Amino acid sequence: MSFAVRTLSRRIARPLPRFQARPQTFTTAVNEQAETGALEKFLAADKDLQVHAAEASDLWRKISFYVCVPAIAVCVAWVYNAEVEHAAHVEHIKEENGGELPETPAFDYLNRRSKPYPWGANSLFFNPHANKDMSDA
């Protein structure tokens, strides 16, 4: 009961909201002109924004086609030539050593393991053409 009395007394103690009338405007024609002017400004700004967006997208399209695509093609050609030279060099070393690559030196700082991997002696990305097989060591 005391809860209901307390809630009712709080509601009564609050001041009633005051309703204010909207300020009177001089004429509706002035407001319509102001709204029309604001609408024209907004539409002009929107049109300018669309023109700028079209110019910017055209610029980036040209940059993509005339700069990026040729640069990627040059990089692909350079990497291809480097890899072909490397493969030729590896084949030359194999020919000098009877068809096999020479044994890599067993340096102490290479392939150090404090504990074995759960899947075996080699790493998870073991490649027999590029990595030394640690299961033999």
Side-chain angles (χ1 to χ4, degrees):
M1 184 68 160
S2 64
F3 177 74
V5 171
R6 185 175 52 198
T7 305
L8 182 62
S9 64
R10 285 181 183 169
R11 286 191 180 172
I12 291 172
R14 286 186 192 151
L16 294 174
R18 296 182 182 175
F19 295 103
Q20 295 179 354
R22 293 178 65 191
Q24 295 293 325
T25 58
F26 294 109
T27 62
T28 56
V30 172
N31 287 340
E32 288 175 5
Q33 287 177 356
E35 289 175 5
T36 305
L39 179 63
E40 289 173 358
K41 287 180 184 177
F42 174 76
L43 292 175
D46 187 49
K47 186 174 182 178
D48 291 342
L49 185 64
Q50 288 178 359
V51 168
H52 175 70
E55 291 172 355
S57 64
D58 188 49
L59 170 71
W60 283 106
R61 185 178 300 110
K62 288 177 183 175
I63 289 172
S64 297
F65 287 130
Y66 300 126
V67 176
C68 295
V69 171
I72 290 170
V74 167
C75 288
V76 165
W78 183 78
V79 169
Y80 178 77
N81 288 336
E83 289 299 319
V84 166
E85 288 177 12
H86 178 69
H89 180 69
V90 169
E91 289 302 318
H92 175 70
I93 291 175
K94 283 183 181 179
E95 287 175 10
E96 287 181 344
N97 294 303
E100 294 285 327
L101 284 174
E103 185 69 27
T104 56
F107 295 116
D108 291 338
Y109 59 86
L110 293 176
N111 300 312
R112 291 177 55 172
R113 307 281 188 271
S114 59
K115 60 181 185 176
Y117 293 124
W119 52 83
N122 295 319
S123 74
L124 189 60
F125 304 104
F126 174 69
N127 180 359
H129 301 290
N131 304 112
K132 182 177 178 181
D133 190 4
M134 296 306 294
S135 60
D136 297 340

